[in-house]
Amino acid sequence: MVGSVGNAPSSWMVIESNLGTFAVGGDDEAVTDLLLPHEVHDGLRGAPASVIVRDAARQLDEYLSGERRRFEVSIRPRGTEFQQAVWSSLDGIDFGSTRSYAWVADVIGRPRGARAVGQALGRNPTPIIRPCHRVLSSSGLGGYGGGSALKRSLLAIEGVSIEDAATSYGPHRERA
């Protein structure tokens, strides 16, 4: 399970959507985990949810419904210094925009580290909130912990066509 390193979240909330079942985890201070549909298990249903976790779940539901473009929630993902740098760089990718693994590597000062960036993105404990789905490979979609269909669906919510992005792709693409 992504994000299960260290202390487990004390609070969970499960969200049902047309893209599947998601779960937000955290505590009274911050969100620490967002589980994608293939990671959610029945043990999380009915668990107590803190105010912060409930708010993050509401924002996630709004995003998945196309009603929210930006998350306004405190997060505290657990990871190495390198992973934290990669995940923090995602905050600079706006709704409806995409970037490449190489762009992220450049932003964090590791221009030859695109492969390591991809590995760090695969361990992002707060996907969607920290939008790793907006990072594409130079030849197209690239990987995603939730699978390519979910990545395409999340990009579609934002009005991004992967076919257009793949044919006109450079270091980054802004939606017109």
Side-chain angles (χ1 to χ4, degrees):
M1 178 185 326
V2 172
S4 62
V5 178
N7 296 329
S10 59
S11 176
W12 287 98
M13 187 154 191
V14 174
I15 301 100
E16 303 288 342
S17 81
N18 63 338
L19 297 181
T21 303
F22 297 80
V24 177
D27 55 33
D28 291 332
E29 297 176 6
V31 170
T32 58
D33 298 83
L34 191 156
L35 303 182
L36 301 175
H38 71 282
E39 300 170 309
V40 177
H41 54 85
D42 287 337
L44 300 176
R45 295 182 191 281
S50 70
V51 171
I52 286 180
V53 167
R54 283 194 308 268
D55 185 48
R58 177 187 54 78
Q59 290 183 43
L60 176 62
D61 188 50
E62 291 170 354
Y63 170 84
L64 294 170
S65 300
E67 300 167 10
R68 175 173 287 276
R69 297 170 63 102
R70 173 180 212 88
F71 288 88
E72 297 169 2
V73 63
S74 177
I75 59 173
R76 191 180 60 247
R78 295 172 303 276
T80 67
E81 187 176 324
F82 177 78
Q83 289 169 333
Q84 295 283 349
V86 169
W87 302 334
S88 291
S89 75
L90 301 174
D91 295 337
I93 309 174
D94 292 334
F95 182 95
S97 298
T98 59
R99 298 290 187 270
S100 68
Y101 295 101
W103 179 88
V104 173
D106 284 343
V107 165
I108 65 166
R110 299 272 304 266
R112 303 183 104 188
R115 185 167 298 200
V117 162
Q119 292 172 342
L121 292 175
R123 298 194 51 83
N124 177 5
T126 54
I128 304 175
I129 294 173
R130 283 260 168 94
C132 51
H133 63 279
R134 296 178 187 155
V135 181
L136 308 177
S137 77
S138 58
S139 60
L141 190 62
Y144 188 64
S148 61
L150 180 58
K151 185 171 186 173
R152 285 178 190 273
S153 294
L154 295 172
L155 291 170
I157 288 170
E158 300 185 19
V160 175
S161 163
I162 188 59
E163 290 74 23
D164 293 342
T167 58
S168 64
Y169 198 72
H172 72 279
R173 181 188 154 278
E174 296 286 342
R175 193 171 99 180

